[in-house]
Amino acid sequence: MKKIIFFLGLLTIFFSACKKEEKSPFDQTPDERINATLNEYATLLTDAPNGWLGYLTNDSGRAGTYTFYFKFNDANRVIMLSDFDSLSAVTPKESSYRLKAL
């Protein structure tokens, strides 16, 4: 009988001793944080006054390095030039882009 009362008392203490308080370490939800980060990245891309330069180095035996010029706008469009050949270096091509959280 003493063991049963002891275990019931222990069980009561066990269930009443912990606080069931859930506190988030962040001020925003995960979706809000992801959207804020994506908006920040989009602002960085579109606010560059002179566009962006990108370099691609390959090791295909010719050891070439290609340069790209990117100009992003607010309508999710990008204008690109590259130095693959003389035509693509002077003819801008336009395409769409999308920032995505993976």
Side-chain angles (χ1 to χ4, degrees):
M1 183 69 170
K2 286 183 181 182
K3 286 183 182 181
I4 295 175
I5 294 174
F6 175 73
F7 284 119
L8 285 176
L10 190 61
L11 197 61
T12 305
I13 291 171
F14 177 74
F15 282 114
S16 64
C18 61
K19 287 186 177 179
K20 306 263 192 275
E21 186 176 310
E22 185 176 320
K23 187 174 181 183
S24 175
F26 302 106
D27 295 337
Q28 299 173 330
T29 65
D31 287 335
E32 291 171 342
R33 288 181 296 165
I34 287 172
N35 288 334
T37 302
L38 289 177
N39 288 336
E40 181 183 343
Y41 290 161
T43 302
L44 285 173
L45 285 175
T46 58
D47 285 350
N50 298 322
W52 293 88
L53 285 178
Y55 300 99
L56 175 66
T57 303
N58 64 3
D59 191 17
S60 64
R62 295 186 289 179
T65 300
Y66 300 104
T67 306
F68 300 91
Y69 170 76
F70 302 100
K71 182 68 177 168
F72 296 91
N73 64 20
D74 292 336
N76 291 341
R77 304 295 288 175
V78 60
I79 298 172
M80 184 183 82
L81 296 169
S82 68
D83 62 353
F84 285 129
D85 56 21
S86 60
L87 183 63
S88 65
V90 295
T91 308
K93 299 291 183 179
E94 186 173 344
S95 181
S96 64
Y97 73 95
R98 178 176 63 171
L99 293 177
K100 191 169 147 180
L102 296 176

